[in-house]
Amino acid sequence: MLKNNLGFPRIGNQRQLKRACEKYWSGKISESELLETGKTIRLTNWQLQKEHGIDLIPSNDFSFYDQVLDHSLMFGTIPERFKDLNKTDLYFAMARGYQSENQNIKACEMTKWFDTNYHYIVPEFQAFQTFHLNDTKVIDEFIEAQNAGILTKPVLIGPITYLLLGKVKNADFNALSLIDRLLPVYLELLNKLHKAGAEYVQIDEPFLGLDLNFFQKETYRTVYHKIKNELPDLKIILSTYFEGIEDNALAALNLPVDTLHIDLKRAPDQLDNILSKIGPHLKLSLGIIDGRNIWKTDYQNAIQFVQKAVNQLGEERVMIAPSCSLIHVPVDLENETTIDPEIKDWLAFATQKLIELNEIATILAEPNSPLLARNTVSITKRSTSTRIHKPEVKKRSLEISDKELKRNAIFAERKNLQKSHLKLPDFPTTTIGSFPQTKEIRTLRANLKKGIITAENYEAEIKRHTAEVIKWQEELGLDVLVHGEFERNDMVEYFGELLEGFVFSANGWVQSYGSRCVKPPIIFGDIERLKAMTVAWSSYAQSLSAKPMKGMLTGPQTILQWSFVRDDQPRHETLIQLAFAVRDEVADLEKAGLKIIQIDEAALREGLPLKKADQDAYWNHAIKAFKIASAVAQPETQIHTHMCYSQFKGIMDKLADMDADVITIETCRSQMELLESFQDFQYPNEIGPGVYDIHSPTIPSVLEIEQSLEKALKVIPEGNLWVNPDCGLKTRAWPETEASLKNMVQAAQNLRLRNLN
């Protein structure tokens, strides 16, 4: 039985890729040194998978920034504004923007990869779009592995998924209408791979798990029949993941491919439906190991799926695999030395998931293998652990009253009270929360953990940095201040460390976008807040200024979405536990005198189920959680929320139902296009559209920011418009932060002057 892996983490087991990219961007290493780091990571990954018995080892799952961006470069989908740059500069400019004395080129848009926290670079399509084989990365890496003695399975994003991931620009047309221009390039590429020696090619079409119309289904049929006619001997593994293909099962099962991969972790019930409809020649790749979470696989449960398929199809027509690419989990559990041994025994990172595949294959071949009994012991220990359940926490979550879900006044009344209390000018300026975490700050935190400095020394230094940044904000002229979050390692991890029910890895890094890696907390049990988490720092910050200071909290849905969540109870039960923890913090911040409290729900849209039939239930839980967290605030306390890259079309009523006083959103990369949703719906509360892109190192001019604000004023009433960057500034350097915010404040002041005149 073949063991099929869909993809492996590209960052390196010590985040080598992150460090190499950032050194290259800052001019500390050459392009050749950057490329050598990439080659080393690829060879290490291929060899590791070979050693762990993987039969179908992926290539082209590596990327220096993003796999969708790689495909855009490969197919020549390069916006005109980048055409004069050389290849490497062009690649990173599309992702990060490009600024020189004579040029200021905006980056391409970035958004979430389906319902994950991974961000991809959005392809831009024009009505006159053409495609050509502009780059041979996928072929080069296949040959590179071949030269190392490893026959890989090249991985491509399918042509239909690639087009559906993109965005049409400057015209109104269906991106799928470009398929007749794109498909010949795919055929050319597949021909070259076949001639180079590829036996299998994995083509990822996750859109097959979404709601498709007749035209889209027909396009799948046309495209894959053309591929089969052109390349009858090439074995295509068509991969679906993140959802079941139930509604599209007939369309998928009738495609002329060698193997269909299905995600049995996200949609275990789909197997029966597929087995009832499958034809006599199609093979199945069963995604029985969770590629998006870190819990050890229950072998007995996984084997039942495999045996059911084998009983009907025969062993030769069944492969076993993770549910999706392992890019969404950390590299190796063996890098962890600080996780509690009891809980560590419940976990499996990417490398361990390879081992699990091999062990499941062994058990299937040798039913009396001791591997099954050993796995059963671990699974049983977790399910019976007394550390997981807290009856008093569960009781509180079940006893939610209507009063706990409502503010004490409607928005119009709150707005008047807040205006009287806060005395803010028109077009108030603020930032989203965090300021740059310099090497000095990171060293302080590391030295505290190592015991090199005392907690008192650490606190004194963080207070000094906080006081300096507050004074700097006052001098700059910002209207609503933040304390900078220097005491926080991460917007989710920080809170998890102060809540019961979490455990943390030391090296469990996962790529979020480009060189940005995050270390998701692990929620293993019931969640409880035993003490205040942010009150001391927020109170200290407010004591240093007469201007309003925002209390900064991460919202329950975002903590849930950006953690590895326990899988032994419904997600919404864990969400409500988090909401009550945040609620208690809001109440304590208010008692401490904070009049503005921001509850970040950066991941609210990200968590939305991919299928429409499941979305109402999600919104019910998500909005309920936000209201539990925020409704405790008195009317004069202003509640803010922030949301990262999101598509708001069709969900505006849900955002309004959350009833935050101010919502700040990321709109800069789309040139304020996202605001159209707010205009169509006439969003009633206040809005802070991001006026510059913090994910790019480029510095916006005063004029650029003014132009963004003028666009916003066409949609947002003057009294409802805030001025802010589009996200937190933690990942930026101080020089660009200072210059950008100075220009932002000046733009707001210019707007006020024009308004007075």
Side-chain angles (χ1 to χ4, degrees):
M1 185 176 296
L2 293 178
K3 298 175 286 293
N4 173 33
N5 187 31
L6 277 69
F8 199 76
R10 61 180 68 127
I11 59 176
N13 61 1
Q14 298 295 328
R15 291 183 294 161
Q16 295 95 320
L17 181 63
K18 168 189 172 66
R19 295 188 176 93
C21 284
E22 291 177 354
K23 285 180 180 179
Y24 174 74
W25 296 334
S26 63
K28 294 178 181 176
I29 65 171
S30 65
E31 181 178 341
S32 62
E33 289 173 299
L34 174 66
L35 296 176
E36 187 60 32
T37 298
K39 182 176 181 180
T40 300
I41 293 171
R42 290 193 296 272
L43 289 172
T44 300
N45 286 354
W46 292 329
Q47 190 61 45
L48 177 72
Q49 292 173 82
K50 183 177 181 180
E51 290 170 359
H52 285 301
I54 302 303
D55 300 298
L56 298 174
I57 298 170
S59 59
N60 198 45
D61 56 336
F62 176 84
S63 175
F64 281 105
Y65 204 97
D66 164 53
Q67 71 269 16
V68 182
L69 175 60
D70 292 347
H71 281 65
S72 292
L73 198 70
M74 183 163 59
F75 300 135
T77 315
I78 301 167
E80 189 65 32
R81 62 187 182 277
F82 299 104
K83 290 290 179 70
D84 292 335
L85 300 177
N86 68 49
K87 180 179 176 181
T88 307
D89 283 343
L90 182 152
Y91 178 79
F92 287 125
M94 287 176 68
R96 306 174 71 240
Y98 183 88
Q99 194 166 42
S100 65
E101 280 188 24
N102 304 317
Q103 291 177 294
N104 187 4
I105 306 174
K106 296 289 185 185
C108 295
E109 288 185 49
M110 182 165 70
T111 196
K112 299 295 178 75
W113 175 252
F114 295 89
D115 59 350
T116 75
N117 187 33
Y118 178 81
H119 302 64
Y120 75 91
I121 304 300
V122 180
E124 295 181 15
F125 301 130
Q126 306 283 348
F128 52 83
Q129 187 74 49
T130 60
F131 304 96
H132 64 280
L133 194 56
N134 181 63
D135 184 85
T136 56
K137 172 185 180 292
V138 59
I139 302 166
D140 298 340
E141 292 181 9
F142 173 78
I143 294 171
E144 182 180 87
Q146 221 175 19
N147 292 338
I150 301 172
L151 180 64
T152 61
K153 168 199 58 172
V155 178
L156 294 171
I157 297 170
I160 297 169
T161 288
Y162 175 71
L163 290 175
L164 292 176
L165 288 170
K167 183 173 185 177
V168 300
K169 304 289 284 189
N170 306 321
D172 183 16
F173 66 97
N174 188 329
L176 271 190
S177 66
L178 300 173
I179 191 65
D180 290 338
R181 302 179 200 173
L182 179 61
L183 184 55
V185 186
Y186 266 87
L187 293 172
E188 179 186 358
L189 180 60
L190 291 170
N191 260 304
K192 289 179 181 292
L193 283 169
H194 193 38
K195 288 177 182 176
E199 181 182 359
Y200 286 92
V201 172
Q202 175 183 318
I203 300 183
D204 289 355
E205 290 282 10
F207 269 94
L208 274 169
L210 276 62
D211 301 307
L212 298 178
N213 58 38
F214 174 80
F215 172 67
Q216 290 166 331
K217 291 180 184 180
E218 187 64 13
T219 304
Y220 271 107
R221 187 189 67 79
T222 302
V223 164
Y224 283 90
H225 275 85
K226 286 183 179 178
I227 291 174
K228 181 66 174 178
N229 290 338
E230 180 80 16
L231 293 148
D233 298 326
L234 182 63
K235 296 177 181 177
I236 300 294
I237 300 177
L238 189 69
S239 295
T240 67
Y241 41 79
F242 301 156
E243 274 294 355
I245 62 167
E246 295 93 340
D247 295 338
N248 305 318
L250 281 175
L253 291 167
N254 286 319
L255 296 177
V257 296
D258 181 82
T259 305
L260 177 68
H261 172 84
I262 55 174
D263 183 343
L264 293 178
K265 295 304 295 184
R266 178 59 68 90
D269 294 339
Q270 68 177 315
L271 182 59
D272 288 339
N273 180 43
I274 288 169
L275 289 176
S276 71
K277 295 180 172 69
I278 194 168
H281 304 296
L282 184 66
K283 299 173 187 173
L284 282 183
S285 168
L286 306 179
I288 54 173
I289 289 174
D290 197 339
R292 289 183 55 171
N293 213 333
I294 43 68
W295 302 106
K296 184 174 284 187
T297 302
D298 181 340
Y299 288 178
Q300 190 63 60
N301 179 263
I303 286 169
Q304 289 176 5
F305 287 106
V306 181
Q307 288 178 331
K308 180 180 286 188
V310 168
N311 288 343
Q312 179 169 329
L313 304 179
E315 188 173 296
E316 69 284 353
R317 289 178 60 195
V318 178
M319 301 177 185
I320 56 174
S323 59
C324 61
S325 169
L326 299 177
I327 189 177
H328 306 288
V329 295
V331 178
D332 194 347
L333 190 61
E334 292 304 309
N335 291 335
E336 302 300 328
T337 57
T338 59
I339 297 179
D340 181 300
E342 180 185 3
I343 296 174
K344 186 176 179 180
D345 182 57
W346 305 342
L347 308 179
F349 289 0
T351 302
Q352 286 65 49
K353 291 178 187 293
L354 301 179
I355 296 170
E356 288 185 329
L357 266 187
N358 212 25
E359 289 187 347
I360 289 172
T362 299
I363 293 167
L364 287 164
E366 304 168 20
N368 295 323
S369 169
L371 294 172
L372 180 58
R374 190 174 70 188
N375 173 263
T376 301
V377 168
S378 291
I379 300 300
T380 302
K381 282 183 177 179
R382 180 187 170 204
S383 66
T384 57
S385 173
T386 58
R387 301 174 63 177
I388 293 176
H389 303 288
K390 293 190 173 187
E392 65 280 8
V393 173
K394 295 184 187 298
K395 184 173 184 290
R396 186 185 186 190
S397 296
L398 291 171
E399 297 175 351
I400 304 168
S401 67
D402 290 342
K403 185 178 179 181
E404 289 173 306
L405 298 175
K406 292 180 180 178
R407 300 285 296 272
N408 289 339
I410 63 172
F411 172 70
E413 295 169 354
R414 299 197 310 263
K415 183 173 182 176
N416 289 332
L417 285 169
Q418 292 161 14
K419 187 175 182 180
S420 173
H421 278 73
L422 297 173
K423 295 179 171 57
L424 296 173
D426 291 338
F427 314 117
T429 56
T430 189
T431 62
I432 301 304
S434 59
F435 278 120
Q437 294 246 334
T438 61
K439 185 177 181 181
E440 182 182 0
I441 295 290
R442 293 193 298 271
T443 300
L444 275 173
R445 191 176 295 120
N447 287 344
L448 176 67
K449 287 186 175 181
K450 294 174 184 176
I452 297 172
I453 60 173
T454 65
E456 291 76 16
N457 294 145
Y458 173 77
E459 184 174 320
E461 282 298 297
I462 295 297
K463 280 187 172 181
R464 179 176 66 83
H465 283 282
T466 302
E468 288 175 355
V469 84
I470 290 170
K471 182 181 178 183
W472 174 76
Q473 290 176 83
E474 288 183 322
E475 292 171 350
L476 189 67
L478 286 164
D479 301 304
V480 174
L481 311 186
V482 298
H483 75 284
E485 303 180 16
F486 299 120
E487 80 284 4
R488 304 185 189 184
N489 44 12
D490 176 81
M491 66 181 289
V492 172
E493 185 175 2
Y494 175 81
F495 289 93
E497 286 177 341
L498 298 168
L499 293 167
E500 296 289 301
F502 284 79
V503 71
F504 299 86
S505 64
N507 297 291
W509 298 100
V510 177
Q511 185 182 28
S512 178
Y513 64 87
S515 68
R516 169 71 169 151
C517 298
V518 294
K519 191 151 53 73
I522 299 165
I523 302 176
F524 73 89
D526 287 336
I527 295 160
E528 188 174 17
R529 171 190 177 269
L530 298 180
K531 60 182 180 180
M533 301 179 286
T534 66
V535 174
W537 285 110
S538 294
S539 298
Y540 169 71
Q542 184 64 84
S543 73
L544 300 176
S545 179
K547 288 190 171 186
M549 184 75 55
K550 281 197 287 190
M552 301 300 305
L553 303 176
T554 303
Q557 181 63 43
T558 297
I559 295 176
L560 185 85
Q561 192 68 22
W562 291 355
S563 298
F564 291 122
V565 183
R566 59 190 290 192
D567 59 356
D568 62 335
Q569 70 176 17
R571 284 174 68 92
H572 70 264
E573 292 182 15
T574 304
L575 175 66
I576 298 303
Q577 293 176 4
L578 284 164
F580 274 109
V582 176
R583 180 186 181 89
D584 293 344
E585 191 71 11
V586 169
D588 283 350
L589 282 169
E590 191 174 56
K591 288 175 188 174
L594 277 294
K595 290 301 179 186
I596 301 180
I597 300 171
Q598 182 169 307
I599 305 172
D600 283 334
E601 281 296 16
L604 187 75
R605 178 64 174 76
E606 173 191 314
L608 186 67
L610 299 174
K611 289 185 175 176
K612 291 179 181 177
D614 303 323
Q615 291 177 359
D616 283 346
Y618 169 83
W619 283 120
N620 289 339
H621 296 311
I623 293 170
K624 180 180 181 179
F626 187 84
K627 287 183 172 181
I628 290 171
S630 62
V632 69
Q634 294 303 306
E636 59 269 22
T637 299
Q638 193 174 72
I639 296 293
H640 289 222
T641 190
H642 172 70
M643 294 176 194
C644 285
Y645 292 111
S646 296
Q647 298 298 323
F648 296 114
K649 187 175 182 180
I651 66 168
M652 292 305 305
D653 58 328
K654 313 301 184 187
L655 301 188
D657 196 23
M658 291 171 66
D659 200 24
D661 297 302
V662 181
I663 179 173
T664 55
I665 56 176
E666 292 181 298
T667 60
C668 191
R669 284 208 179 193
S670 68
Q671 289 79 53
M672 296 281 170
E673 289 176 14
L674 289 179
L675 286 177
E676 293 174 5
S677 296
F678 289 80
Q679 181 180 34
D680 295 342
F681 181 77
Q682 294 185 337
Y683 183 76
N685 299 12
E686 297 180 30
I687 308 174
V691 295
Y692 80 90
D693 177 18
I694 71 91
H695 296 91
S696 169
T698 61
I699 297 168
S701 67
V702 174
L703 178 60
E704 286 178 84
I705 296 173
E706 287 180 3
Q707 289 171 340
S708 292
L709 289 170
E710 293 292 350
K711 285 183 182 179
L713 280 171
K714 294 177 181 177
V715 176
I716 303 170
E718 291 179 4
N720 286 7
L721 179 62
W722 284 65
V723 182
N724 48 265
D726 68 358
C727 202
L729 297 161
K730 176 183 176 181
T731 60
R732 299 269 52 93
W734 266 114
E736 67 201 49
T737 296
E738 292 174 353
S740 298
L741 288 181
K742 181 180 178 181
N743 289 349
M744 186 188 82
V745 170
Q746 185 62 59
Q749 290 172 348
N750 292 349
L751 196 58
R752 288 172 198 157
L753 286 173
R754 285 204 294 274
N755 224 34
L756 287 173
N757 296 330

